[in-house]
Each structure stands twice: as C-alpha cells, then as structure tokens.
Amino acid sequence: MAKYPLEQLMLIKKKRLEEAERELKAAKEALAEEEEKLKKTMQALQEVLNHKQDKLDQMRVELDQGTTSDVVEKMKLYLETVEEKRKVKDAAVKKQQLEVEKAEAAVEEARQNLLKKQADVEKLDMHFEEWKKEQKYLEKQEDDKHTEEMGTAMHIRKKRKQG
C-alpha cells in the first residue's frame, strides 16, 4: 500500500491534540487552586465578620451593664478597626472571585480548543479511512488487470502451441 500523503499532518494534529489536553488539564488545576484560594479568603472574611459580631455583642452587654463612656468610645474605635479589616478581607474576596472567573474562562477556552483539535483529528482519521478504502480498490483493480493480462497471455500462448 502507498504511503499516506497526509501522514505528517496527521502526526502534527495529534501532537496538537495532546498539547490541548495538557493545557486543559493545567487550566483545570489552576482553577482548582484559585477556588481553594477563594475558599480561604472567604473563611478569613467570615472570621472577621464573626469577630465583629462578637465585639458588637460584647459592646451591647457593656452598655446594658451601664459602663463608662470612655470604655464605649474605645469599643467603638476598635469596631472601626475591625470594620476596616472586614473591608480589606471583602476586597480580597472580590479580587479572588475575579481570579476564579478568569480561571473558569481559561478552562472554557482550553475546552473549546481541545474540541477543535479533536474535530481536526477526527476529520483526518475519516480522510485516512477513505484513502485506505480507495487504495485497496486501486490495488484490487491493478491485481485484476494483471490477472486479466496473464490470462490473455496464457490464452495467446496456447493458441500458438495449437496452431
């Protein structure tokens, strides 16, 4: 059988498919890392929110017990500090959510690239199968032609021997 004329192209397309598979795997791993970071930043924010709530509860108890105004003022200042921490943690969560969204977009892009590469390889595989069928057909025709020529030659030789 003849050598497939698109063999080099097929090898290139298969290598690109493998590369696209690796890129998708890497993108998924990066997404998992970003999601884990988001989870941690959300936990840190929740800790600050819990701490703030604890301090508010503590301040209410102090107010109910009738504490001095300077203690209440210190508590208010501390709550402002806690609120600043909350804002920082909230900003970190939002920033990390953007990173997760970027990673999700990268995964989707890698997935689309993989699908395109798979389609390219499938098209070439189909072409290869059609080419093989065509080659077998051509070989059969060639064999039939040789067989017919040999039959004709043998017939002519017999006629000469008889004649």
Side-chain angles (χ1 to χ4, degrees):
M1 188 182 291
K3 186 176 180 196
Y4 183 53
L6 300 178
E7 188 172 340
Q8 288 296 320
L9 181 62
M10 186 180 269
L11 291 173
I12 290 168
K13 295 282 186 183
K14 286 184 178 181
K15 282 183 183 180
R16 287 182 181 166
L17 175 61
E18 291 169 3
E19 185 180 317
E21 288 169 347
R22 283 191 299 273
E23 287 173 3
L24 179 59
K25 183 180 177 192
K28 284 182 177 180
E29 289 171 358
L31 174 60
E33 285 177 23
E34 295 300 332
E35 287 174 337
E36 186 60 31
K37 288 178 186 177
L38 177 60
K39 185 178 172 185
K40 287 179 181 178
T41 55
M42 289 177 85
Q43 285 175 342
L45 173 61
Q46 190 58 49
E47 288 172 10
V48 170
L49 290 172
N50 291 342
H51 181 67
K52 180 180 177 184
Q53 189 59 47
D54 290 345
K55 290 302 171 183
L56 283 170
D57 293 344
Q58 182 182 353
M59 189 170 148
R60 273 192 210 101
V61 168
E62 289 290 328
L63 287 171
D64 289 345
Q65 291 176 355
T67 188
T68 61
S69 61
D70 61 323
V71 171
V72 171
E73 203 56 40
K74 284 181 185 177
M75 288 181 154
K76 283 183 180 180
L77 282 173
Y78 185 73
L79 280 172
E80 287 175 15
T81 305
V82 171
E83 181 60 20
E84 286 301 315
K85 279 186 183 179
R86 185 205 59 81
K87 287 179 183 176
V88 168
K89 298 294 182 186
D90 195 45
V93 167
K94 287 179 181 167
K95 181 180 176 193
Q96 191 56 40
Q97 284 173 330
L98 289 175
E99 293 300 317
V100 168
E101 289 172 12
K102 285 181 192 174
E104 287 171 342
V107 166
E108 185 56 31
E109 183 179 325
R111 182 177 287 120
Q112 293 301 320
N113 186 34
L114 176 68
L115 292 174
K116 182 180 178 293
K117 302 292 188 222
Q118 284 175 333
D120 289 348
V121 168
E122 287 173 14
K123 284 179 194 172
L124 264 177
D125 284 343
M126 287 175 20
H127 181 268
F128 178 66
E129 292 303 318
E130 288 298 316
W131 178 83
K132 279 194 330 191
K133 286 178 187 174
E134 187 178 324
Q135 290 301 308
K136 285 181 183 177
Y137 176 74
L138 292 174
E139 281 180 14
K140 185 177 179 334
Q141 278 189 324
E142 192 68 28
D143 287 346
D144 290 349
K145 182 179 169 186
H146 286 302
T147 303
E148 189 179 313
E149 286 174 1
M150 287 182 65
T152 303
M154 288 173 62
H155 179 71
I156 291 172
R157 196 178 304 151
K158 277 184 183 179
K159 279 210 167 206
R160 282 186 190 159
K161 276 186 178 182
Q162 289 175 356

